[in-house]
Amino acid sequence: EQRRAEQDAAQEPPDKFTCPITFEVMTDPVFAMDGHSYERAAIVDWLKRNQTSPTTNMPLQSELLVPNHNLKSLITEWKERQAQRRG
């Protein structure tokens, strides 16, 4: 029973893989100027209506978004491991 719980927990994505706007695993993560990562489409949509950080609610000094290549690689590796575990 404990082993099953550990396997189920292993399938849950790490929090850093989940967009704080959509609450889903990101496929195109970007850094915003608040230092947080978001799914690109979600933060672009957010910025059309808001000038604040969706995480901190503080004003954003810039709408610049920078691709988070490292996080994208980590998510891709995690997804591949999950697919292998499922067989």
Side-chain angles (χ1 to χ4, degrees):
E1 213 173 298
Q2 182 179 356
R3 183 176 175 165
R4 179 181 282 282
E6 289 171 359
Q7 287 174 339
D8 289 346
Q11 293 177 1
E12 287 295 316
D15 288 343
K16 68 181 178 181
F17 292 1
T18 305
C19 175
I21 299 172
T22 66
F23 303 104
E24 295 179 6
V25 174
M26 294 179 272
T27 58
D28 188 12
V30 293
F31 283 115
M33 293 299 101
D34 63 356
H36 295 277
S37 291
Y38 303 94
E39 178 64 36
R40 181 185 299 275
I43 190 67
V44 166
D45 187 52
W46 173 273
L47 292 173
K48 288 178 184 175
R49 300 182 315 276
N50 304 280
Q51 290 77 45
T52 59
S53 162
T55 302
T56 66
N57 207 32
M58 300 295 293
L60 287 173
Q61 301 302 316
S62 169
E63 293 185 6
L64 177 67
L65 302 174
V66 179
N68 189 338
H69 298 293
N70 185 49
L71 183 56
K72 186 172 184 170
S73 293
L74 292 172
I75 291 170
T76 299
E77 291 171 11
W78 177 81
K79 285 181 176 180
E80 289 171 355
R81 285 193 308 274
Q82 295 306 311
Q84 289 172 353
R85 285 185 181 149
R86 286 190 289 265

